[in-house]
């Protein structure tokens, strides 16, 4: 069962062409500077920024009028100068298994273009994972990934990355005030417990914005999701991995997908620049690794390409000495792809080799298939959806 929320039902909370900049995405330092723009004297800026921060990221307010511990006059000046922008929700789809996918339309960029991105929420028994995007499209061209075929690419701003989390909190009613009012609150007091940067884009090609966004998302006085529950997935941008360890400090996932350079060159062309050995070398150096803090290796199961018993054994050899877990991802097919997903028995046999070698290797069960919410599918379905939606609206008009 799929429900669709059209743009009409979810009006944007701000005017699409509003010239006022959004405060979302500013670091604490930048937020204090922004207070200067509305006449807050230097000595009070940090304090005011702290108050505004609390309202925006802890309370989740969307209007300055709600910031009741700030004088009316200052609230008015803030409102004249800034917005607390959220992206426009073009559609919300809810899968029969509870997975939700949002198509979000961003504010116009400097060229006036309004791009769209997707964010997915996957509820499970013991956790709720939000999969967020770091770019519109992706400059890389992994041959099994739908996003990689998308032409339009731009980096998301820190605000656009953080706002995906805020929009999801709005929609699943996950702000502290919602939870307090919830007669049947989720275990642990939250619906969204984990964040993965596994949507559209290569996060390490948008390093600074991703770093700022993760700082915001993990800030204890705000959205407050610990960095241990935030996982950055990279296709293997080796030179940025040490920086990610030193400056971002989230958990790391590596899209390995193959055990020989020959096959990985075909699947992840970036491998020609940064081959497997260099990639695993960078993983070995990643700070803070232990059995309790492992690197996740993602491995998409492609029939007849990378799924043999020899591959499984080579994988065990490659990972030796790295605190690792392996995520076997059944390939999610998309229209026009040259690949097929491995048979179930093959996947199980592959997982068995890993398990015997001591690697927990859960097979990621496909979620939200009915709404095309799975990894690597975040792309053109949204365009189709919009066409369908437009037709429906026109028919109803
Ligand atoms: N660019 C980053 C993060 C986004 S992709 C990266 O590549 O790691 C998130 C994960 O989805 C990656 O492991 C990616 O390889 C995988 N993926 C992409 N297309 C897929 C598909 N069609 N089926 C299954 N997994 C896919
Ligand atoms: Fe980009 Fe990741 Fe897709 Fe490769 S798998 S094209 S890096 S989004």
């Amino acid at each position: 069962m799929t429900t669709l929320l059209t743009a009409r039902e979810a009006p944007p909370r701000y005017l699409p062409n509003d010239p006022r900049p959004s405060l979302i995405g500013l670091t604490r330092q930048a937020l204090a500077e922004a207070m200067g723009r509305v006449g807050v004297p230097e000595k009070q800026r940090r304090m005011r920024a702290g108050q505004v921060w609390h309202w925006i990221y802890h309370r989740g307010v969307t209007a300055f009028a709600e910031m009741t511990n700030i004088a009316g006059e200052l609230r008015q000046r803030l409102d004249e100068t800034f917005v607390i922008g959220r992206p426009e929700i073009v559609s919300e789809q809810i899968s029969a298994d509870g997975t939700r996918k949002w198509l979000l339309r961003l504010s116009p960029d400097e060229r006036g273009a309004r791009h769209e991105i997707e964010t997915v929420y996957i509820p499970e028994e013991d956790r709720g994972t939000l999969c967020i995007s770091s770019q519109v499209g992706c400059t890389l061209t992994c041959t099994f990934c739908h996003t990689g075929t998308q032409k339009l690419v731009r980096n998301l701003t820190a605000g656009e990355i953080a706002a995906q989390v805020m929009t999801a909190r709005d929609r699943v009613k996950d702000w502290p005030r919602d939870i307090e009012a919830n007669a049947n609150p989720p275990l642990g007091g939250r619906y969204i417990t984990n964040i993965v940067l596994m949507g559209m884009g290569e996060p390490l090609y948008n390093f600074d914005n991703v770093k700022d966004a993760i700082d915001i998302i993990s800030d204890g006085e705000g959205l407050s999701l610990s960095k241990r529950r935030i996982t950055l997935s990279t296709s293997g941008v080796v030179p940025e991995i040490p920086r990610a360890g030193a400056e971002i400090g989230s958990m790391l996932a590596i899209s390995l997908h193959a055990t020989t350079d020959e096959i990985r060159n075909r699947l992840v062309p970036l491998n020609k620049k940064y081959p497997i050995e260099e990639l695993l070398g960078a993983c070995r150096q990643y700070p803070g690794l232990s059995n309790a803090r492992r690197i996740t290796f993602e491995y998409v199961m492609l029939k007849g390409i990378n799924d043999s018993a020899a591959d499984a054994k080579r994988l065990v050899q490659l990972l030796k000495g790295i605190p690792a877990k392996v995520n076997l991802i059944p390939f999610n097919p998309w229209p026009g792809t040259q690949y097929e997903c491995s048979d179930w028995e093959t996947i199980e046999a592959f997982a068995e080799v890993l398990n015997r070698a001591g690697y927990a290797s859960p097979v990621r069960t496909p979620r939200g298939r009915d709404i095309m919410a799975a990894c690597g599918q975040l792309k053109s379905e949204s365009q189709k959806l919009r066409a369908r939606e437009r037709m429906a609206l026109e028919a109803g008009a």
Side-chain angles (χ1 to χ4, degrees), residues 1 13-14 60 81 91 146 219 259:
M1 183 186 56
R13 293 196 189 80
Y14 63 99
T81 318
S91 68
H146 209 193
D219 188 292
T259 58

Side-chain angles (χ1 to χ4, degrees), residues 289-346:
L289 292 184
S290 68
N291 273 345
R293 230 177 112 84
R294 298 166 193 244
I295 294 183
T296 302
F297 288 88
E298 296 158 278
Y299 199 98
V300 61
M301 298 299 292
L302 301 167
K303 191 178 203 159
I305 307 279
N306 63 357
D307 60 354
S308 70
D311 280 304
K313 286 180 196 145
R314 263 195 305 268
L315 183 55
V316 170
Q317 290 303 317
L318 285 175
L319 298 184
K320 264 207 175 127
I322 306 177
K325 43 188 178 192
V326 180
N327 248 342
L328 297 180
I329 317 174
F331 170 63
N332 289 304
W334 36 272
T337 180
Q338 52 174 309
Y339 299 109
E340 277 178 80
C341 182
S342 310
D343 299 326
W344 194 247
E345 304 81 70
T346 312

Side-chain angles (χ1 to χ4, degrees), residues 226-263:
S226 139
K227 284 186 182 174
R228 302 194 58 155
R229 290 176 170 271
I230 302 175
T231 302
L232 185 158
S233 171
T234 178
S235 56
V237 187
V238 168
E240 301 291 351
I241 291 177
R243 256 185 95 200
E247 297 177 31
I248 299 180
S250 63
M251 304 299 281
L252 187 65
I254 301 285
S255 294
L256 190 62
H257 304 321
T259 58
T260 64
D261 282 324
E262 191 205 336
I263 302 292

Side-chain angles (χ1 to χ4, degrees), residues 14 16-18 105-116 136 152-157 160:
Y14 63 99
N17 294 315
D18 198 320
R105 190 176 294 149
L106 306 172
S107 296
D109 60 17
E110 61 277 10
R111 285 193 224 128
R114 297 197 65 198
H115 294 291
E116 289 171 355
V136 174
L152 273 178
V153 179
R154 85 159 163 85
N155 279 337
L156 296 185
T157 64
E160 288 163 343

Side-chain angles (χ1 to χ4, degrees), residues 137-142 144-149 199-202 235 255 257 268 376:
C138 185
T139 51
L140 296 172
T141 51
C142 303
F144 56 88
C145 172
H146 209 193
T147 307
T149 65
M200 294 160 65
E202 170 47 58
S235 56
S255 294
H257 304 321
V268 184

Side-chain angles (χ1 to χ4, degrees), residues 39-75:
V40 174
E42 187 147 9
K43 278 197 177 139
Q44 293 176 17
R45 282 179 201 162
R46 274 190 55 193
M47 181 270 293
R48 288 287 178 222
Q51 287 176 323
V52 170
W53 184 280
H54 181 85
W55 284 109
I56 295 179
Y57 296 114
H58 181 78
R59 305 279 193 115
V61 305
T62 52
F64 293 104
E66 292 176 71
M67 300 183 177
T68 46
N69 60 352
I70 295 177
E73 204 194 322
L74 179 54
R75 286 194 327 238

